[in-house]
Amino acid sequence: MPGSPPTPARTARPAPTFPFSAVVGSEDLALALVLTTVSPEVGGVLVRGEKGTAKTTTVRALAAVLPEVAVVEGCRFGCDPAAPDPTCPDGPHDNPVDEGGRPPTPPADVHSLALPNVATTRPARLVELPVGATEDRVIGSLDLRQALGSGEVVYSPGLLAAAHRGLLYVDEVNLLHDHLVDLLLDAAATGRSTVEREGVSIAHASRLVLVGTMNPEEGELRPQLLDRFGLTVEVAAPTEPSLRAEVVRRRMAYDLDPEAFAAAWSDAEARLRHRLADAQARVARVELGDAELLLIAEVCAAFEVDGLRADLVTARAAVAHAAWHGRDRVTKADIRAAARLALPHRRRRNPFDAPGLDEELLDRLLGEDDPPPPEEPPPGTRPDEDETGPSDTTDGADGPAPGDAGAAQDPGVDRQREPATAEADPDGPPRDANDDQPDQPDQRQDQQPGPTAAAVSIAAPGQAYRTRLFTARGVGTGTAGRRSRAVTTTGRTVGSTLPDGEHRPLHLSATVRAAAPHQASRGRTDGSRLRLVGTDLRHAVTEGRESNLVLLAVDASGSMAARKRMEAVKTAVLSLLLDAYQRRDKVGLVTFRGNEAVLALPPTSSVEVAARRLTDLPSGGRTPLAEGLLRAAETLRLEHLRDPRRRPLLVVVTDGRATSGPDAVARSRQAAELLRATGVSALVVDCETGRMSLGLARDLAVRLGADHVRLGEVAAGSLVDAVRAERAALDPALRPTQGRAALRPAQDAA
């Protein structure tokens, strides 16, 4: 209305987080978070589970119930006033705590004299590290505004400084770039963050609790980072209908009115906050007896975990569990609860092993014949219940997460699994090029799919081995990894460029060289500072390694099953999958047999799923080579639309025979030439064995413009052994074993 005073603008308050006490069906997750909060030395929590299981909601809710933290006022690094960091970049800090442990009271006129640093309190921090964060945002870097404006070297702290004495949360931690993983490993191992870049040399304390969530289907963690997580939890959606209904009921109530929902759970949150504070005060007084410590060592040794970190983490978690339950001495129940959370992810020997723990063995080691009572859930209570907890029902979180659908299989087909000990016979009798029948005379192959299809076999792969490095041609610009050469955000500096919108580190010397010729025109005098403008900036061009899409096109026809070659083929492909995991690649799997090709696994970062699909892959029937190549071409085309910067590497595993349909050979050659026209980097793994070689796979490699290797040459040391054997055959003097053995008796006699 005219003349009426303006209405003051309302500042929208953020909605309160979902209460930690109201989380349903995640008792193991809640317990793990509580233990690492009671004793941060436990080492953080890794949460594994499918999407939609409240992983992120639970972690964010934890911050609201954490006790407040005392810090030195004005310190950007959150120093503890009772024991400030002597090397803090904002220090040195005077200890502002008096003999009673209280901060001094400042005078009324705080400007009348210079005071020592004053202690204050602030809420505990939960700092989130995005997967796409840059290195300078994580560890901090030179403040360019200060450097270019006033010429001063000023350090701007990063997320590791903000998370000091708090929680650092990484959602989808398995997708974090390797160079950021290295920074987290350094901080977790030393408790400090060191910055040596762009003229900045600073180190500060960075003691934090690392909490990560991940979906295993999107890829696994590096073993070094996996071991740094003290505890791990497998989270799955509850299967009990009443529990699922309660989850939906609470979530809908929160979404309808977050303020009212948080208020209804405020008493339970307060009780939980008080219990956490009591446990933190008690944990230093909990006694871990020699008998209990020896029992922890026996449990860790029985489960054959690597190193001694598992023993240490289990002991710390057991102490925290005893403090959480108000006990002053560790019991077997505390050890059991700690072992269930600290050991599963440390029992893995390779990325294809699923984490887990044999709880029956654990009970036998602890001398418990009867199953232990259910663990009391850490969350508080419902508003209408007493303090016994919101529910006594279990959530099924200890059960296995729902798996994938498995390999694509033909309906109505009976499969005969070959013994795992079967060995390939490279010296078997030669076979006709069009003979795709397996060696078993009682198994006939039929080209027609469906219920009338003939029986096929499933061979089990052997032990994976280290493979040679196969790379894409040229220099790419993809995501940082460990396979092919590429211009990436990390690596060795090979040049400089003007700012182009991409985040790159500053090339200081190139920036100075660009500004040097203009100093006179900008009025710089002798002894004055260098005068820079925005157009002088130069970014560093760094060359490193990128990750690729490794698409495996595997021939599963009857000719591959002949002489039991499929076991050797699967072992080689499994080894290539392991190599892709170690080099942070995405993988896909195309299989072809009978009269069709199937995309058994769309491109993914999870080699575990790929390994399971490969293990269950049946073999038999004719060879639709053209269909396999065309399906691979279509898969690469679609993936290029989704991720144009990731270069593919096509690996075709076949003996080169094409026997399915009319003009099979001509169509396979046309498909190969079509793939070659796309410019894709390819590799043909020749699976042909026997005394007579038809050279069909080599001819396919020529038409694809691909590299050609034999199946036995995939292993890393195979070429070295072959070269040594050839040299020894040409020059007897290069036979050290036989020569020395022949000379040794004569020398001994002399």
Side-chain angles (χ1 to χ4, degrees), residues 403-409 598-602 609-610 612-614 616-618:
D404 59 278
Q409 299 177 352
V598 177
L599 179 60
L601 179 69
V609 178
R612 289 197 296 268
R613 301 286 173 89
L614 176 69
D616 296 335
L617 176 65

Side-chain angles (χ1 to χ4, degrees), residues 581-666:
Y581 161 78
Q582 294 171 341
R583 301 187 186 280
R584 316 303 292 172
D585 295 320
K586 293 181 69 174
V587 295
L589 180 62
V590 172
T591 64
F592 51 96
R593 69 180 185 88
N595 57 5
E596 64 177 355
V598 177
L599 179 60
L601 179 69
T604 177
S605 297
S606 176
V607 295
E608 283 186 340
V609 178
R612 289 197 296 268
R613 301 286 173 89
L614 176 69
T615 301
D616 296 335
L617 176 65
S619 59
R622 298 207 174 263
T623 310
L625 180 58
E627 285 74 8
L629 296 178
L630 293 176
R631 177 56 64 94
E634 179 64 12
T635 302
L636 294 177
R637 185 186 70 82
L638 294 177
E639 189 62 21
H640 178 73
L641 296 177
R642 299 187 186 99
D643 191 357
R645 295 183 58 182
R646 187 183 295 271
R647 294 192 296 163
L649 175 63
L650 175 63
V651 180
V652 183
V653 184
T654 182
D655 57 7
R657 302 179 182 181
T659 60
S660 177
D663 300 326
V665 175

Side-chain angles (χ1 to χ4, degrees), residues 178-504:
D178 279 352
H179 65 287
L180 299 183
V181 171
D182 294 336
L183 298 177
L184 294 183
L185 288 174
D186 291 340
T190 64
R192 301 187 64 79
S193 177
T194 303
V195 183
E196 297 285 352
R197 55 181 298 171
E198 300 165 355
V200 176
S201 179
I202 284 179
H204 61 83
S206 182
R207 294 186 298 274
L208 49 87
V209 175
L210 183 61
V211 179
T213 56
M214 59 173 285
N215 185 346
E217 292 186 357
E218 297 175 348
E220 284 297 329
L221 278 178
R222 285 172 54 183
Q224 296 89 342
L225 182 58
L226 180 65
D227 189 55
R228 286 296 176 182
F229 283 99
L231 310 177
T232 184
V233 180
E234 292 283 339
V235 179
T239 57
E240 185 179 342
S242 61
L243 200 57
R244 297 174 70 97
E246 182 63 22
V247 172
V248 176
R249 183 181 300 112
R250 295 189 184 187
R251 185 68 207 190
M252 293 181 66
Y254 171 80
D255 293 338
L256 183 64
D257 192 344
E259 297 283 351
F261 188 83
W265 286 87
S266 59
D267 291 342
E269 292 285 275
R271 289 192 295 269
L272 180 58
R273 190 178 298 108
H274 179 71
R275 185 178 175 184
L276 278 172
D278 288 346
Q280 288 178 337
R282 180 187 296 272
V283 69
R285 304 194 303 269
V286 174
E287 180 183 355
L288 176 63
D290 291 341
E292 287 75 20
L293 184 58
L294 181 60
L295 184 57
I296 291 175
E298 291 175 353
V299 169
C300 294
F303 281 105
E304 299 180 348
V305 296
D306 293 331
L308 293 174
R309 184 173 286 119
D311 304 61
L312 188 59
V313 171
T314 304
R316 289 171 173 170
V319 170
H321 190 268
W324 169 247
H325 286 276
R327 292 188 286 268
D328 293 328
R329 184 179 179 86
V330 172
T331 65
K332 287 185 178 180
D334 301 320
I335 296 175
R336 185 183 191 278
R340 288 182 60 250
L341 300 174
L343 300 185
H345 61 298
R346 292 186 166 86
R347 299 185 62 246
R348 306 182 68 183
R349 290 296 181 267
N350 62 65
F352 306 132
D353 294 337
L357 195 69
D358 186 352
E359 296 198 20
E360 293 183 0
L361 174 59
L362 178 61
D363 292 337
R364 290 197 301 270
L365 293 171
L366 296 177
E368 298 180 0
D369 297 331
D370 298 328
E375 178 68 32
E376 178 186 352
T381 64
R382 290 183 182 176
D384 56 347
E385 293 183 350
D386 56 19
E387 294 187 13
T388 57
S391 175
D392 293 333
T393 58
T394 57
D395 63 328
D398 292 335
D404 59 278
Q409 299 177 352
D410 295 337
V413 176
D414 296 328
R415 292 172 175 81
Q416 299 176 1
R417 182 173 296 274
E418 294 183 4
T421 57
E423 298 181 356
D425 182 14
D427 298 327
R431 299 172 62 89
D432 185 77
N434 293 323
D435 183 8
D436 279 349
Q437 305 296 331
D439 284 349
Q440 295 83 349
D442 57 338
Q443 291 185 354
R444 298 185 56 191
Q445 305 298 330
D446 193 338
Q447 296 186 43
Q448 301 299 324
T452 60
V456 295
S457 60
I458 300 179
Q463 184 66 34
Y465 48 78
R466 187 169 64 91
T467 67
R468 295 165 51 191
L469 173 59
F470 301 105
T471 62
R473 294 186 295 267
V475 179
T477 58
T479 305
R482 298 181 179 179
R483 183 170 296 276
S484 305
R485 291 178 55 201
V487 176
T488 59
T489 55
T490 59
R492 63 186 184 93
T493 301
V494 296
S496 62
T497 183
L498 292 170
D500 54 1
E502 294 286 337
H503 174 76
R504 302 180 188 276

Side-chain angles (χ1 to χ4, degrees), residues 42-103:
V42 169
V45 181
L46 174 65
V47 188
R48 297 165 50 94
E50 57 191 4
K51 52 186 177 296
T53 50
K55 300 187 297 293
T56 301
T57 298
T58 307
V59 174
R60 289 175 177 169
L62 176 66
V65 297
L66 295 180
E68 291 189 335
V69 179
V71 295
V72 175
E73 187 174 6
C75 178
R76 297 175 298 168
F77 301 88
C79 281
D80 186 355
D85 181 10
T87 61
C88 176
D90 285 354
H93 299 302
D94 294 328
N95 193 338
V97 182
D98 59 20
E99 295 180 356
R102 298 178 298 273

